Amino acid sequence: MYYGNIKYYDIANGEGVRTSLFVSGCTHHCKGCFNEETWDFHYGKPYTKEIEDEIVKSLDKDFINGLTLLGGEPMEPANQKALLPLVKRVKELYKDKTIWCYTGYLFDSELLSPSRAYAPWTREFLSYIDILVDGEFKLALKDITLRFKGSSNQRIIDVHKSLKEGKVVLSPLNDKKDKSTIYGN
């Protein structure tokens, strides 16, 4: 797997201050994508054990709320497989940190049942994710007032509750608006 960028101290891609890993490789090719260069599975730099160690170490600070995975597409099967050791390790070391994941795949119809995104390790991978922002970015539904998502079709899902209840359970963050955008602050 390759990655396009790592943002330490990111405040845009999930609650609080986070480390965000932008993986490479995406087959959605959403019109208006903010990170088009990461569609290429070989864009950026190779993801190595040393990079994983740096990411894990960056989470050691008390003020870091967690890890965010985005891209590209973290839920492409090859990317899931490469990221599985990272998410497992983060949850073992930092039980109080959250893991967010952004995906164009739909949680209920594409990640939990046979599809091009489903792999033998998908359920295990999802078990380490706290919040999943799912759904392709739709330019026609773009809404800059939404917090943590780019278009109104996307959902902010509480993964643990959803897996436990066997249905999509939206996070309370799903309908939050960004007041600074609404009021022009």
Side-chain angles (χ1 to χ4, degrees):
M1 181 181 84
Y2 282 71
Y3 71 98
N5 195 9
I6 300 170
K7 288 187 179 180
Y8 300 100
Y9 314 113
D10 186 4
I11 59 169
N13 296 299
E15 283 189 300
V17 182
R18 313 186 68 74
T19 295
S20 294
L21 171 63
F22 294 77
V23 302
S24 295
C26 182
T27 57
H28 298 295
H29 298 183
C30 301
K31 184 178 179 182
C33 175
F34 81 101
N35 214 5
E36 221 175 278
E37 62 275 3
T38 62
W39 293 354
D40 180 348
F41 281 82
H42 293 98
Y43 172 78
K45 300 174 186 171
Y47 179 79
T48 63
K49 178 71 166 88
E50 291 76 23
I51 295 300
E52 179 182 304
D53 291 344
E54 283 180 31
I55 292 168
V56 169
K57 187 174 189 229
S58 77
L59 299 170
D60 197 28
K61 298 167 187 73
D62 288 341
F63 66 90
I64 301 294
N65 294 75
L67 172 68
T68 298
L69 305 171
L70 60 169
E73 175 58 76
M75 296 306 294
E76 293 288 354
N79 289 344
Q80 290 176 44
K81 188 173 187 179
L83 292 168
L84 185 57
L86 171 65
V87 295
K88 184 176 183 178
R89 193 170 159 198
V90 168
K91 281 301 181 182
E92 287 171 354
L93 292 172
Y94 306 110
K95 293 178 183 9
D96 60 331
K97 309 276 183 181
T98 60
I99 299 177
W100 283 51
C101 181
Y102 284 78
T103 180
Y105 293 107
L106 296 174
F107 176 75
D108 42 349
S109 62
E110 294 176 296
L111 295 178
L112 294 179
S113 58
S115 73
R116 66 185 171 118
Y118 187 80
W121 47 84
T122 301
R123 278 198 176 264
E124 181 183 1
F125 184 83
L126 285 169
S127 75
Y128 297 109
I129 305 299
D130 297 289
I131 296 290
L132 186 79
V133 182
D134 83 339
E136 290 186 8
F137 171 74
K138 303 282 186 189
L139 188 57
L141 300 175
K142 180 178 178 179
D143 183 346
I144 62 169
T145 68
L146 297 172
R147 288 186 70 198
F148 308 124
K149 54 187 182 175
S151 56
S152 60
N153 63 297
Q154 294 174 314
R155 304 177 295 181
I156 302 175
I157 297 170
D158 182 319
V159 176
H160 298 293
K161 286 183 180 176
S162 296
L163 290 173
K164 184 179 179 184
E165 294 184 23
K167 65 178 184 176
V168 172
V169 178
L170 297 178
S171 162
L173 296 168
N174 191 65
D175 295 320
K176 297 272 184 186
K177 297 279 188 169
D178 182 348
K179 291 184 175 149
S180 66
T181 306
I182 297 169
Y183 301 112
N185 294 335

